[in-house]
């Protein structure tokens, strides 16, 4: 087996395991974590945290290290799948392959920025100044860009599969 194939398989396995573990761990949070991710104002963010209560906020904060492993693994898997396999070759005439290869790593970078902002914004004494509203907006934008990158990559994957 080639090292690239092994690396890709490892990244995919780690991604799936982390995603499943986090889905189970975060399932009690209502509204969902995605609801928090797609807030853009301090008030909307605070409403989600209030609904979760202190225990829910702690649960959210405790998931962030594993989410870091998830974002590293899905970023690597996306890059390796495009750059080191032939799966996406049917899309060469439609999309620049270097751009597609960087799509999930870019989504992972936005995910990391979102996680950092959420860590700060869920900490004690977060917010409190008029300028801090920009941090909530930045977190929402980072999450939106992450989800957009993941969605475009998923669409490209389905398209490549259909064209094979």
């Amino acid at each position: 087996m080639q090292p690239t194939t092994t690396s890709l398989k490892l990244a995919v396995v780690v991604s799936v395991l982390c995603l499943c573990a986090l889905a189970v761990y975060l399932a009690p949070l209502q509204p969902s974590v995605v609801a928090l991710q797609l807030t853009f104002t301090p008030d909307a963010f605070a409403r989600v945290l209030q609904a979760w209560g202190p225990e829910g906020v702690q649960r959210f904060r405790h998931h962030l290290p594993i989410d870091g492993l998830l974002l590293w693994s899905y970023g690597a898997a996306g890059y390796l799948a495009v750059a080191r396999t032939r799966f996406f070759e049917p899309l060469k005439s439609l999309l620049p392959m270097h751009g597609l290869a960087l799509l999930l790593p870019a989504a992972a970078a936005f995910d990391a920025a979102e996680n950092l902002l959420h860590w700060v914004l869920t900490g004690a004494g977060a917010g409190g100044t008029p300028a801090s509203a920009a941090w909530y907006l930045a977190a929402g934008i980072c999450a939106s860009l992450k989800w957009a990158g993941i969605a475009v990559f998923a669409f490209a994957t389905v398209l490549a599969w259909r064209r094979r």
Side-chain angles (χ1 to χ4, degrees):
M1 190 176 333
Q2 294 178 337
T4 299
T5 305
T6 303
S7 299
L8 175 58
K9 287 179 180 178
L10 178 62
V12 169
V13 167
V14 170
S15 294
V16 170
L17 290 175
C18 287
L19 186 62
C20 291
L22 288 176
V24 170
Y25 182 73
L26 296 171
L29 297 180
Q30 293 302 320
S32 73
V33 170
V34 176
L36 181 75
Q37 292 173 350
L38 299 178
T39 61
F40 299 89
T41 65
D43 290 340
F45 195 87
R47 282 193 297 275
V48 173
L49 297 186
Q50 184 177 15
W52 289 352
E55 297 83 16
V57 173
Q58 281 309 107
R59 178 176 288 267
F60 174 80
R61 288 174 61 85
H62 287 146
H63 101 280
L64 291 171
I66 299 301
D67 197 44
L69 181 58
L70 172 62
L71 68 89
W72 276 105
S73 61
Y74 78 71
Y79 178 80
L80 291 171
V82 177
R84 305 294 167 96
T85 73
R86 295 178 180 213
F87 181 83
F88 290 93
E89 278 185 2
L91 302 181
K92 277 188 174 182
S93 63
L94 298 174
L95 298 169
M97 288 297 105
H98 63 278
L100 185 58
L102 294 176
L103 194 56
L104 282 186
F110 285 118
D111 197 353
E114 170 204 339
N115 285 353
L116 178 60
L117 288 164
H118 283 166
W119 177 261
V120 170
L121 295 172
T122 58
T129 67
S132 68
W135 295 113
Y136 294 91
L137 177 62
I141 290 170
C142 285
S144 297
L145 291 171
K146 167 193 73 176
W147 285 116
I150 291 168
V152 170
F153 190 86
F155 178 75
T157 301
V158 170
L159 189 59
W161 176 72
R162 297 272 301 160
R163 288 180 154 230
R164 293 188 74 73

